[in-house]
């Protein structure tokens, strides 16, 4: 259970970094939002703030990620959904998408046992975080909240 919680927190960290990057790159649109209802009423791309689709958010930010890094984002998205929100998939499609190979957490195991997960952070996630941070450093101070 401890590893699931750790990966959930890591997944939420990556989600917040991506959303922060999106906000920095879309400062003018975000600056015009006056409340949550206003935010919800805005059409794309502002809906990037209300989704857990990490690949979609990453594409909207323009961060340069490899195919394996997008695969890792898909797994992190599954962790957010199934470890943090729902105990089981709501549809058969979701079941097949996220659990056909042992669930999203199994993406980060180094072997058949939960105790073989690379610690402290799986290298692919570390690479994603480094790329997001590089992009965040390019955001001018005037576009930071």
């Amino acid at each position: 259970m401890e590893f699931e919680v750790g990966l959930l927190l890591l997944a939420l960290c990556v989600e917040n970094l991506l959303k922060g990057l999106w906000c920095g790159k879309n400062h003018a649109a975000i600056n015009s939002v006056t409340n949550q209802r206003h935010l919800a009423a805005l059409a794309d791309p502002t809906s990037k703030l209300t989704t857990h689709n990490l690949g979609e958010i990453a594409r909207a930010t323009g961060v340069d990620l490899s195919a394996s890094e997008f695969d890792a984002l898909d797994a992190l998205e599954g962790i957010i959904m199934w470890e943090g929100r729902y105990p089981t998939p709501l549809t058969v499609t979701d079941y097949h998408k996220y659990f056909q190979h042992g669930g999203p957490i199994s993406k980060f195991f180094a072997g058949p046992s939960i105790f073989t997960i690379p610690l402290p952070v799986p290298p692919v996630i570390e690479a994603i975080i480094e790329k997001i941070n590089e992009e965040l450093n390019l955001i001018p101070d005037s576009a930071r909240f």
Side-chain angles (χ1 to χ4, degrees), residues 2-144:
E2 296 150 359
F3 292 104
E4 289 93 343
V5 172
L7 281 173
L8 172 61
L9 294 173
L10 188 58
L12 292 170
C13 171
V14 170
E15 179 180 23
N16 285 329
L17 283 170
L18 284 170
K19 288 180 177 183
L21 177 59
W22 187 89
C23 286
K25 289 188 171 192
N26 293 277
H27 182 257
I30 296 301
N31 211 24
S32 70
V33 172
T34 58
N35 59 46
Q36 186 64 30
R37 285 193 186 137
H38 181 203
L39 174 64
L42 291 175
D44 277 345
T46 306
S47 65
K48 300 302 178 260
L49 297 179
T50 59
T51 182
H52 296 297
N53 187 327
L54 302 184
E56 182 180 305
I57 301 167
R59 283 182 196 86
T61 67
V63 67
D64 185 27
L65 299 177
S66 68
S68 65
E69 290 166 339
F70 275 106
D71 287 344
L73 287 180
D74 285 342
L76 292 174
E77 176 188 334
I79 289 167
I80 290 169
M81 292 299 295
W82 307 119
E83 296 297 327
R85 180 125 188 165
Y86 304 107
T88 61
L90 301 176
T91 67
V92 172
T93 304
D94 285 342
Y95 177 83
H96 289 293
K97 178 178 178 184
Y98 292 108
F99 290 93
Q100 67 183 353
H101 300 293
I105 286 180
S106 64
K107 170 84 174 166
F108 303 107
F109 294 155
S113 167
I114 194 164
F115 298 107
T116 59
I117 188 170
L119 295 175
V121 176
V124 68
I125 298 174
E126 192 170 335
I128 292 168
I129 291 171
E130 287 175 13
K131 289 180 178 182
I132 295 169
N133 279 329
E134 288 172 9
E135 291 286 326
L136 283 168
N137 288 329
L138 298 175
I139 306 274
D141 288 342
S142 62
R144 294 175 188 244

